[in-house]
Amino acid sequence: MSERKVRVRFAPSPTGALHIGGVRTALYNYLFARQHGGDMIFRIEDTDSQRFVPGAEAYIIESLEWLGIKFDEGVSYGGEYGPYRQSERKEIYRKYVDRLLENGKAYIAFDTPEELDAKRQEVSNFQYDASTRMQMRNSLTLSKDEVNALIAEGKQYVVRFKIEPGEDIQVNDLIRGEVVINSSVLDDKVLYKSADNLPTYHLANIVDDHLMEVSHVIRGEEWLPSAPLHVLLYRAFGWEDTMPRFAHLPLLLKPDGKGKLSKRDGDRLGFPVFPLEWHDPKTGEVSSGYRESGYLPEAVVNFLALLGWNPGNDQEIMSMDELVRLFSLEKCSKSGAKFDYEKGKWFNHKYIQLKSDEELADLFLPLLAEKGITADKSVVARIISLVKGRVSFVKELWDQTAFFFIAPDTYEEKSVKKRWKEETPAQMTELIDILESLPDFTSAPAEKEVLTWIEGKGYHLGNVMNAFRLAVVGECKGPHMFDITEIMGKDETISRIRKAIERLS
Ligand code: GLU
């Protein structure tokens, strides 16, 4: 069994936007598959037509593509185990439902919703199981002829799993170790509904994992309670030998306090819980996404990878390839992972620094274009090189660099009061002459000449340089003055000083 080929699947239900926790599940599956040279399958679990949301499937595909999480087979990828959309596999499931019925592992139940309600009123904590099933209307209590007659009449029914009570069921989880649950706490789960000729999640999930030769089921903790039932289903089919190994990932917790991370936490604290912006087709509500908020996909991947796993040391920055190399289910934590979105911003900052100035220019140029600014990519790249250490998002580049593209019209008042003295206009006029005469306008030589002039005249260094900066930038902030003027060029620098002399005198 150990030489079995690794095949994992990401199997979302298309019920809305993919939550960030679901993205992490997909990522861990992907890392595990890559590391073992295995296959990663994309399956759509859409047997619950009530909860189907149009657009959700395409959204999930686009999200994972954006993040670089790739599949080998599945919906929209193709493959030999298809179809990969459960709604297209009805006939397959029906066959397996019949097999359980024939083996006596399942039975047909005709109880109407009203009858079930009545029973719930009558018996407190009613559960449809070994203790109650013989009081109900099903193929265990009715004769074969009665059952056949009801079906022939067109009566709707469900197929229920016949769970034998009093048995300890072991789930060997690769993260949690051995989890034991007694079968008496389980109810006779509905596996199939005649009304829509569709199986429920549990049956479809097990049949597909078996037929698709899934070796490992890596999924969120919320599915752990279903695992004992799934073990029983594998047994009922006689598939114990090829049962996948389970790994249930820890919950993502609220950034503050306890409990599961929810969309409301994101709204409340101002961070996205979805990879991409999501337009809910039913309510029209728009929810923010990591992509639209300016996160780099590499940063999101790195951030998510460390929510519930770590490499065993304090290394934090890891590329997808490194993650593939280092990831292990054994190092996943059992306890929930606090969703620290400030850390997410920190990762984005780090990944911005890892990008070349040219790459950042490519990302920044469209934002400039939106503001009606066209600029040369090489110039924009040089500008970015001066400020990138100060930003965590590409959009923040605008605040840092706007003065390059738009000459100041006003000057920050406090600094003007402090730095623009009586003698300043004359000094600035002299400065213009110095700058004009410079044969080399690059940063270091220009700085040397200007400082020599200030020193030679005995001027106040701080006042002159800050007045210069006010004239060029509009405030007393920004990168090194002569790095700015080198990129800005002599003509523009001088014209800004002239304008300031005019405006401020
Ligand atoms: N369809 C389930 C979901 O939406 C799949 C759970 C599993 O991976 O077994 O997450």
Side-chain angles (χ1 to χ4, degrees):
M1 219 169 94
S2 56
E3 348 22 295
R4 201 173 174 202
K5 170 147 202 206
V6 166
R7 286 175 55 84
V8 296
R9 81 305 192 267
F10 180 57
S13 299
T15 55
L18 179 60
H19 187 275
I20 200 74
V23 178
R24 185 197 56 174
T25 299
L27 173 64
Y28 283 17
N29 273 284
Y30 175 74
L31 297 176
F32 187 78
R34 281 293 90 86
Q35 184 176 73
H36 292 92
D39 299 327
M40 166 88 165
I41 304 162
F42 182 50
R43 186 170 76 217
I44 287 288
E45 302 209 324
D46 57 348
T47 56
D48 188 348
S49 53
Q50 300 289 310
R51 297 183 59 218
F52 179 83
V53 172
E57 181 184 302
Y59 175 94
I60 296 168
I61 293 173
E62 194 183 342
S63 300
L64 299 178
E65 261 169 22
W66 177 63
L67 291 161
I69 296 170
K70 300 184 201 86
F71 291 92
D72 300 294
E73 57 188 84
V75 171
S76 92
Y77 299 89
E80 284 168 21
Y81 296 77
Y84 293 94
R85 218 180 258 113
Q86 289 187 331
S87 57
E88 294 165 17
R89 298 171 63 81
K90 282 187 186 182
E91 287 69 35
I92 299 173
Y93 305 126
R94 183 65 234 200
K95 206 174 87 196
Y96 288 97
V97 170
D98 289 343
R99 196 198 277 187
L100 291 180
L101 286 171
E102 281 155 26
N103 296 347
K105 307 279 185 193
Y107 59 93
I108 291 173
F110 295 98
D111 318 272
T112 61
E114 295 73 31
E115 284 166 347
L116 287 169
D117 270 346
K119 201 75 192 172
R120 278 187 207 107
Q121 298 289 321
E122 182 192 319
V123 183
S124 64
N125 299 323
F126 170 77
Q127 175 166 284
Y128 209 122
D129 61 16
S131 69
T132 55
R133 64 169 81 109
M134 296 315 281
Q135 307 160 21
M136 308 301 289
R137 254 173 14 104
N138 54 46
S139 58
L140 304 171
T141 56
L142 303 168
S143 73
K144 232 190 180 104
D145 289 346
E146 285 172 299
V147 170
N148 290 338
L150 285 169
I151 293 175
E153 255 172 58
K155 280 272 181 305
Q156 299 300 357
Y157 62 90
V158 298
V159 174
R160 286 184 181 272
F161 193 29
K162 189 165 169 246
I163 292 183
E164 303 304 340
E167 190 202 339
D168 278 338
I169 311 155
Q170 278 181 23
V171 180
N172 284 309
D173 191 285
L174 290 167
I175 297 174
R176 274 145 219 282
E178 195 175 281
V179 180
V180 182
I181 290 233
N182 194 280
S183 62
S184 298
V185 305
L186 303 175
D187 67 332
D188 288 354
K189 273 274 170 313
V190 172
L191 301 177
Y192 169 88
K193 293 176 183 163
S194 70
D196 46 12
N197 184 26
L198 273 172
T200 57
Y201 156 74
H202 301 289
L203 184 97
N205 188 269
I206 269 42
V207 167
D208 285 351
D209 281 350
H210 174 74
L211 295 178
M212 295 177 187
E213 296 181 37
V214 168
S215 64
H216 294 78
V217 166
I218 304 169
R219 62 184 173 190
E221 179 175 287
E222 62 274 28
W223 301 101
L224 184 59
S226 303
L229 172 71
H230 293 180
V231 169
L232 289 180
L233 274 167
Y234 282 108
R235 265 196 235 159
F237 281 118
W239 296 335
E240 302 94 314
D241 290 348
T242 53
M243 184 168 82
R245 301 295 313 269
F246 289 106
H248 289 93
L249 305 174
L251 279 181
L252 293 186
L253 304 176
K254 291 180 190 307
D256 51 351
K258 291 197 196 114
K260 206 174 143 202
L261 174 73
S262 72
K263 181 168 148 24
R264 252 174 296 125
D265 299 316
D267 296 342
R268 183 166 58 83
L269 299 164
F271 62 89
V273 296
F274 298 137
L276 314 180
E277 193 170 87
W278 168 249
H279 297 247
D280 192 306
K282 281 192 196 128
T283 62
E285 191 195 349
V286 179
S287 307
S288 68
Y290 278 84
R291 182 177 66 184
E292 291 73 13
S293 301
Y295 284 83
L296 299 170
E298 308 89 298
V300 176
V301 162
N302 197 156
F303 169 51
L304 287 181
L306 285 166
L307 288 174
W309 168 84
N310 69 73
N313 55 34
D314 49 19
Q315 186 182 355
E316 291 191 293
I317 301 296
M318 283 165 275
S319 66
M320 190 71 105
D321 287 345
E322 275 177 287
L323 289 169
V324 166
R325 204 158 44 74
L326 296 168
F327 182 76
S328 77
L329 289 171
E330 291 71 31
K331 291 212 173 75
C332 287
S333 68
K334 288 191 189 54
S335 50
K338 205 168 245 190
F339 192 81
D340 179 2
Y341 62 100
E342 290 298 339
K343 192 78 191 192
K345 287 188 198 164
W346 179 86
F347 273 106
N348 214 53
H349 173 80
K350 291 289 177 191
Y351 275 89
I352 294 260
Q353 310 315 309
L354 291 174
K355 286 232 179 269
S356 72
D357 301 334
E358 287 69 28
E359 285 172 310
L360 291 174
D362 280 330
L363 297 173
F364 189 38
L365 280 166
L367 303 188
L368 289 176
E370 269 171 36
K371 301 193 187 285
I373 292 164
T374 45
D376 205 60
K377 179 173 159 184
S378 62
V379 175
V380 173
R382 285 171 70 201
I383 293 172
I384 288 172
S385 75
L386 301 184
V387 300
K388 80 181 190 195
R390 304 166 188 230
V391 304
S392 296
F393 296 94
V394 169
K395 62 179 180 229
E396 289 173 1
L397 286 170
W398 174 248
D399 286 338
Q400 299 289 333
T401 63
F403 72 88
F404 271 103
F405 307 103
I406 302 168
D409 258 331
T410 56
Y411 304 90
E412 194 247 313
E413 246 173 73
K414 249 188 158 166
S415 304
V416 171
K417 271 206 187 104
K418 187 162 169 209
R419 303 295 191 178
W420 198 273
K421 307 280 178 194
E422 281 226 12
E423 65 277 16
T424 306
Q427 288 172 343
M428 290 297 112
T429 310
E430 267 182 64
L431 175 60
I432 290 173
D433 289 342
I434 303 282
L435 297 177
E436 219 137 45
S437 70
L438 286 181
D440 185 352
F441 208 67
T442 55
S443 184
E447 177 171 15
K448 192 162 167 253
E449 292 296 327
V450 171
L451 293 185
T452 308
W453 159 69
I454 296 174
E455 212 183 307
K457 295 278 179 158
Y459 293 155
H460 186 287
L461 178 70
N463 284 353
V464 174
M465 284 308 296
N466 277 294
F468 183 18
R469 184 179 283 278
L470 267 176
V472 172
V473 179
E475 54 187 343
C476 287
K477 288 201 281 214
H480 184 59
M481 198 53 215
F482 295 94
D483 291 347
I484 296 175
T485 53
E486 173 181 330
I487 296 172
M488 208 169 262
K490 197 184 267 190
D491 292 348
E492 177 66 16
T493 303
I494 289 174
S495 107
R496 289 189 183 194
I497 302 174
R498 287 219 167 90
K499 184 171 166 188
I501 296 174
E502 242 168 65
R503 298 269 167 111
L504 291 171
S505 302

